[in-house]
């Protein structure tokens, strides 16, 4: 029977088969399965078939408008079976990705507090990378679609009686906070799934688009240190490293932009925190400048490529999109670097020069990208540099005459 129903699962990717299943009320049959079956594999397959059927607009509309089916599917998020959770998340993402029905699901989820707790439970406790990535994509899509829902989840943290249980009463889940759950999931996926890391970093970035989200990060019991430490480690030790080719910045541009946005938001709001003191963060300045250097290399390559594909409209569109994402990354990188430059002292600068996080080539690249918009920050750093290394400061003044102190 499992082999036969798996064949139906495979065939349901075909629109004609999906329409045939809908015509014979397959969703209602699956409702009966969800209510009575004690077999996790059967539940997984039925949700998977619905997920395939939902890929087609008319069927997705029909499934989405069925309130009873919608509630039953949301309850599947409280399942203890990872494959069922994966298929449920895939189905939800499919529906949320279709503009015609997305709002139906957003409102349904907003009105179902248990979804928050179930999702947080998965993010904080699962070790299944594939499941974590898919759940992250659902959360990312929800936050992108509806700021009100994101605000509700940021403020949530009350116990709900939901989740799998071994007896007649539902299990009471812990008092979840959204930020620690996101961080735990990001740690789980960072080594095995670059796309998963990208998703969770973007969720954090979306949180920083509202004041409540920034406060949820920096007013955690550790004052935001765990978030800063994870993101700092990713930038300084994993992404866009010295032994990577410059083109790596093109591959990592979206995750880099998300991480730097969050670091910038924390830095701007928590400059008095010990973990943000500049003496501990000189490697970050070096990493920011390296990203700018790599982008300069990518910029030259984009110009060369655009000359080669002048007759190819598709190539032009792709290059424009690449340039757009790189510009966003550059803007975010420059903003954080300028803020950090203003906090540098003579001692920090000497340490940075000694450790190789600053040198003439790197300072020149930084100035080239920061000027003229961040003139004040560059001027502030150059004043400190004159005390730390007058020769280097003089050389930079010759290269950038607008910075020269009038005599």
């Amino acid at each position: 029977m499992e082999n036969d129903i798996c064949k139906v699962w495979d065939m349901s990717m075909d629109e004609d088969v999906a329409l045939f299943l809908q015509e014979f009320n397959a969703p209602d049959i699956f409702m009966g399965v969800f209510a009575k079956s004690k077999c996790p594999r059967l539940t997984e397959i039925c949700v998977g078939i619905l997920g395939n059927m939902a890929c087609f607009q008319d069927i997705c509309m029909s499934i989405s408008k069925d309130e009873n089916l919608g509630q039953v599917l949301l309850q599947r998020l409280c399942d203890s079976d990872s494959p069922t959770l994966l298929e449920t998340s895939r189905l939800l993402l499919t529906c949320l990705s279709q503009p015609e029905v997305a709002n139906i699901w957003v409102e349904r989820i907003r009105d179902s507090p248990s979804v928050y707790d179930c999702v947080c439970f998965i993010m904080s406790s699962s070790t299944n990378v594939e499941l974590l990535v898919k759940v992250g994509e659902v959360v990312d899509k929800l936050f992108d679609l509806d700021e009100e829902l994101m605000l509700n989840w940021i403020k949530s943290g009350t116990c709900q009686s939901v989740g799998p249980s071994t007896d007649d009463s539902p299990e009471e889940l812990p008092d979840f906070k959204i930020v620690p759950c996101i961080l735990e999931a990001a740690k789980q996926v960072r080594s095995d799934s670059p796309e998963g890391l990208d998703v969770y970093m973007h969720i954090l970035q979306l949180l920083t688009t509202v004041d409540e989200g920034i406060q949820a990060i920096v007013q955690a019991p550790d004052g935001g240190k765990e978030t800063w430490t994870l993101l700092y480690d990713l930038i300084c030790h994993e992404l866009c490293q010295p032994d990577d080719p410059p083109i790596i910045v093109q591959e990592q541009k979206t995750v880099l932009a998300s991480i730097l946005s969050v670091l910038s938001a924390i830095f701007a709001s928590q400059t008095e925190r010990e973990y943000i003191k500049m003496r501990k963060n000189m490697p970050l300045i070096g990493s920011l400048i390296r990203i700018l250097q790599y982008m300069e290399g990518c910029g030259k390559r984009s110009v060369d490529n655009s000359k080669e594909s002048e007759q190819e409209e598709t190539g032009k569109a792709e290059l424009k999109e690449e340039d757009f994402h790189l510009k966003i990354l550059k803007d975010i990188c420059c903003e954080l670097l300028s803020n950090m430059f203003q906090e540098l002292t003579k001692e920090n600068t000497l340490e940075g020069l000694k450790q190789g996080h600053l040198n003439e080539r790197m300072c020149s690249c930084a100035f080239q990208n920061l000027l003229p918009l961040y003139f004040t920050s560059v001027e502030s750093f150059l004043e400190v540099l004159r005390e730390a290394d007058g020769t280097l400061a003089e050389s930079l003044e010759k290269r950038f005459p607008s910075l020269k102190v009038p005599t």
Side-chain angles (χ1 to χ4, degrees):
M1 183 184 288
E2 182 178 331
N3 287 337
D4 287 344
I5 198 167
C6 278
K7 288 176 185 175
V8 176
W9 189 0
D10 290 338
M11 290 191 298
S12 63
M13 289 187 289
D14 182 280
E15 186 171 9
D16 289 335
V17 175
L19 288 166
F20 175 83
L21 289 170
Q22 186 190 28
E23 184 182 342
F24 282 85
N25 299 317
D28 290 341
I29 296 170
F30 297 153
M31 282 274 284
V33 172
F34 299 148
K36 296 179 182 178
S37 174
K38 302 292 184 184
C39 175
R41 176 65 172 155
L42 181 58
T43 302
E44 174 206 350
I45 294 169
C46 291
V47 177
I49 293 172
L50 280 173
N52 284 349
M53 293 171 66
C55 292
F56 307 106
Q57 186 175 327
D58 290 344
I59 302 175
C60 186
M61 180 68 75
S62 174
I63 291 172
S64 301
K65 285 185 172 180
D66 187 330
E67 188 61 32
N68 290 333
L69 180 59
Q71 290 300 331
V72 168
L73 288 171
L74 290 184
Q75 288 170 15
R76 295 274 67 79
L77 286 172
C78 301
D79 208 295
S80 59
D81 181 59
S82 289
T84 299
L85 290 170
L86 178 61
E87 292 307 319
T88 304
S89 302
R90 187 172 73 87
L91 170 57
L92 289 175
L93 185 62
T94 300
C95 295
L96 289 167
S97 299
Q98 298 201 30
E100 299 80 11
V101 301
N103 283 340
I104 297 173
W105 286 97
V106 168
E107 289 178 20
R108 188 174 285 147
I109 291 169
R110 198 191 298 146
D111 294 337
S112 304
S114 64
V115 173
Y116 168 82
D117 292 275
C118 294
V119 166
C120 283
F121 182 73
I122 294 168
M123 291 194 295
S124 62
S125 61
S126 178
T127 57
N128 184 320
V129 171
E130 190 179 4
L131 172 59
L132 287 170
V133 173
K134 195 58 66 178
V135 167
E137 289 174 341
V138 171
V139 174
D140 188 39
K141 192 69 178 175
L142 281 170
F143 285 5
D144 202 29
L145 287 169
D146 193 72
E147 186 176 294
E148 182 186 341
L149 184 142
M150 181 173 73
L151 287 168
N152 289 342
W153 282 25
I154 290 169
K155 296 169 186 173
S156 290
T158 56
C159 283
Q160 301 287 336
S161 292
V162 297
S165 176
T166 54
D167 53 31
D168 293 335
S169 61
E171 180 182 332
E172 190 173 89
L173 295 180
D175 184 12
F176 288 118
K177 297 293 182 186
I178 190 71
V179 173
C181 296
I182 294 168
L183 294 178
E184 188 57 40
K187 291 173 191 174
Q188 284 290 335
V189 304
R190 66 186 285 188
S191 301
D192 300 316
S193 176
E195 65 273 20
L197 182 64
D198 199 343
V199 166
Y200 280 100
M201 293 304 101
H202 190 251
I203 295 172
L204 282 176
Q205 182 188 3
L206 287 173
L207 291 182
T208 64
T209 61
V210 295
D211 289 340
E212 292 87 345
I214 297 173
Q215 295 308 311
I217 294 171
V218 301
Q219 291 188 357
D222 65 353
K225 184 177 180 180
E226 185 181 1
T227 306
W228 179 274
T229 302
L230 173 62
L231 273 53
Y232 173 95
D233 192 46
L234 288 168
I235 289 291
C236 294
H237 301 124
E238 287 192 26
L239 300 172
C240 208
Q241 292 302 290
D243 56 350
D244 288 328
I247 194 64
I248 194 72
V249 78
Q250 187 68 261
E251 181 184 324
Q252 298 175 349
K253 57 185 178 289
T254 55
V255 68
L256 287 169
S258 295
I259 292 172
L260 295 182
S261 287
V262 180
L263 287 173
S264 188
I266 297 174
F267 189 84
S269 60
Q270 293 290 90
T271 48
E272 297 306 312
R273 290 281 182 177
E274 183 62 28
Y275 66 85
I276 284 181
K277 296 297 183 187
M278 288 311 305
R279 60 187 171 79
K280 295 187 175 184
N281 287 294
M282 290 309 297
L284 181 55
I285 284 186
S287 295
L288 293 174
I289 297 174
R290 181 167 60 251
I291 291 169
L292 291 172
Q293 289 174 324
Y294 283 7
M295 277 194 284
E296 286 181 356
C298 280
K300 290 173 186 173
R301 178 175 168 274
S302 291
V303 170
D304 294 340
N305 285 351
S306 63
K307 288 177 182 175
E308 291 174 11
S309 46
E310 280 179 350
Q311 307 303 318
E312 300 176 17
E313 291 303 318
T314 305
K316 283 184 177 181
E318 288 175 358
L319 283 168
K320 283 180 180 177
E321 186 177 352
E322 284 182 7
D323 291 344
F324 174 72
H325 287 297
L326 284 175
K327 184 181 183 307
I328 291 175
L329 175 57
K330 178 184 173 181
D331 291 347
I332 296 167
C333 193
C334 286
E335 181 182 359
L336 178 55
L337 184 60
S338 71
N339 287 335
M340 297 186 81
F341 266 5
Q342 293 194 61
E343 299 297 323
L344 285 174
T345 64
K346 176 184 175 182
E347 291 72 23
N348 304 149
T349 305
L350 283 168
E351 191 66 20
L353 291 166
K354 181 181 175 183
Q355 294 176 353
H357 304 307
L358 290 172
N359 57 39
E360 184 171 350
R361 183 166 169 265
M362 295 174 79
C363 290
S364 180
C365 173
F367 288 10
Q368 187 74 43
N369 283 279
L370 292 175
L371 293 172
L373 185 59
Y374 297 103
F375 181 86
T376 306
S377 297
V378 173
E379 194 175 44
S380 170
F381 168 62
L382 192 59
E383 190 175 327
V384 172
L385 189 59
R386 289 189 191 103
E387 298 177 32
D389 189 333
T391 305
L392 174 56
E394 187 178 340
S395 177
L396 289 167
E397 285 174 342
K398 288 178 182 176
R399 192 170 295 186
F400 299 93
S402 63
L403 295 169
K404 199 165 186 178
V405 178
T407 54

